[in-house]
Amino acid sequence: MADFLSAYSIQYWLESCPQGYLDETEYGHAPGATEPAAFLEDPELRAQAIQGTVQLVVGERCALAASSGLINAAPDEASKRYLATQTLDEARHVEVFTQRLYDLGVKKTELEDVIRTHANPNLVKFAEILLEKVDRKDFVAGVVGQNVVLEGMAFTVFEMMHAMNKGVNPKFAQTLSGTIADERRHVGFGENRIGSLIQAHPERKPEIERMQRDMSYYMLATFADAFRQAPSEEDRKRFRRELGADESAQWHGVNLATADPKDMEHVLADTVLREFKLRLGRIGIEYQTPARP
Ligand SMILES: [Fe+2]
Ligand SMILES: [Fe+2]
């Protein structure tokens, strides 16, 4: 327990996060950094950026509701304090991605309408499955749903977005890299805290495996929707030209400039599912394959 206590203490969080990689940042990026002009000048590129950022806000609002809700369900004091730090991380993620919507020209009075209009219904379902466990104060299922499934997904999506943005949008790429560093801490907690609880309560496994399968289904459906709505090849070429994109940028062996949206969807889904299997295996949960949406 000693390692667990120090790695997930508030002291550790203060030193590594606010006094560490977030030091001297403003909404997660260098003070004064702005979105590239093309995002504000090309209406389709701007619409794409808003659409994608809304999904991040929806996911992070769910993470905020889950991590805060799990504090009072946690069986031990160290987990409660850790979850308090995670709650602040998730609130910060909601804030920085909401700020990006404002930076893209969304008016404060339009925010909730824009989120409602663009939120992917499958992502909303994904969130509901998790929040139902949290509402029932089901700590074990809640942590698996939040810190293994939701954050395993978020971690990989952010890494892909970071690879796509680092050459063209240093402001957003920096916001993402701080978020990725936070998510790495969160998935670590899920694995370290839950393994022993699952061992102590093997009778919970089938229900947790069902939750993971259902959440995975809606996650894959969200990916399918997102890539189906991808801009045409011609538009993608124009965006790259406007942004001065690096044509050789790679992610998991796929060329991000030239890959077909279908190929991107497969690489993303495969990468997330591989991570799920690995992490679930480590906590003694057997990955259940959902029906392909
Ligand atoms: Fe988050
Ligand atoms: Fe998180």
Side-chain angles (χ1 to χ4, degrees):
M1 204 70 175
D3 280 353
F4 173 77
L5 285 176
S6 53
Y8 297 103
S9 65
I10 293 173
Q11 185 58 35
Y12 175 80
W13 175 79
L14 283 170
E15 288 170 21
S16 61
C17 178
Q19 297 161 4
Y21 51 86
L22 293 182
D23 192 26
E24 291 183 30
T25 59
E26 178 183 286
Y27 294 107
H29 55 74
T34 54
E35 290 289 321
F39 280 110
L40 304 170
E41 287 160 7
D42 183 328
E44 282 159 56
L45 186 53
R46 175 175 174 267
Q48 275 289 314
I50 290 174
Q51 169 85 27
T53 308
V54 163
Q55 312 319 316
L56 303 185
V57 174
V58 170
E60 296 295 354
R61 281 183 175 185
C62 172
L64 172 58
S67 52
S68 56
L70 287 169
I71 294 177
N72 284 330
D76 63 287
E77 292 299 320
S79 295
K80 287 177 192 288
R81 291 200 301 278
Y82 163 76
L83 283 164
T85 68
Q86 183 174 344
T87 296
L88 196 54
D89 291 336
E90 306 302 358
R92 187 183 82 80
H93 300 166
V94 173
E95 183 170 272
V96 296
F97 294 133
T98 302
Q99 183 60 43
R100 185 176 192 230
L101 290 175
Y102 297 147
D103 294 346
L104 290 166
V106 172
K107 293 195 185 69
K108 292 193 175 167
T109 50
E110 301 168 341
L111 179 71
E112 295 307 321
D113 275 344
V114 168
I115 291 173
R116 238 189 326 272
T117 310
H118 294 288
N120 184 309
N122 286 306
L123 183 60
V124 173
K125 283 261 189 213
F126 172 93
E128 281 169 1
I129 296 172
L130 167 60
L131 293 179
E132 195 238 329
K133 305 288 182 199
V134 175
D135 283 346
R136 286 204 268 122
K137 298 223 182 303
D138 184 340
F139 183 72
V140 183
V143 172
V144 175
Q146 154 88 8
N147 295 61
V148 180
V149 180
L150 186 152
E151 321 219 75
M153 170 182 81
F155 184 81
T156 306
V157 168
F158 292 155
E159 282 205 315
M160 185 189 73
M161 294 180 85
H162 182 263
M164 290 170 137
N165 280 279
K166 76 172 180 252
V168 297
N169 190 346
K171 167 195 177 259
F172 187 43
Q174 189 180 356
T175 303
L176 287 167
S177 65
T179 312
I180 291 168
D182 293 340
E183 300 304 353
R184 188 171 291 126
R185 213 167 35 246
H186 304 167
V187 290
F189 172 80
E191 273 184 36
N192 289 318
R193 184 65 191 98
I194 286 301
S196 56
L197 284 176
I198 300 229
Q199 255 174 11
H201 299 281
E203 76 284 359
R204 300 297 319 280
K205 278 191 196 184
E207 189 201 333
I208 290 172
E209 287 169 350
R210 206 170 323 118
M211 172 192 71
Q212 165 267 309
R213 190 195 57 205
D214 294 345
M215 288 180 79
S216 298
Y217 173 86
Y218 288 112
M219 175 190 78
L220 294 173
T222 304
F223 292 168
D225 291 340
F227 287 97
R228 206 180 302 121
Q229 294 157 357
S232 67
E233 195 177 344
E234 212 164 299
D235 281 345
R236 296 203 306 274
K237 263 195 196 142
R238 189 180 79 243
F239 297 164
R240 290 205 303 277
R241 206 172 45 242
E242 289 171 352
L243 291 165
D246 173 6
E247 298 284 320
S248 63
Q250 299 263 335
W251 189 70
H252 286 274
V254 169
N255 182 305
L256 292 169
T258 53
D260 184 77
K262 261 274 143 283
D263 295 338
M264 289 295 303
E265 180 194 336
H266 284 140
V267 177
L268 176 62
D270 289 350
T271 307
V272 176
L273 295 181
R274 202 167 46 237
E275 288 276 314
F276 278 3
K277 282 175 203 164
L278 210 70
R279 290 183 199 284
L280 290 166
R282 286 195 206 121
I283 58 172
I285 295 283
E286 200 174 320
Y287 172 79
Q288 306 284 315
T289 308
R292 274 275 170 176

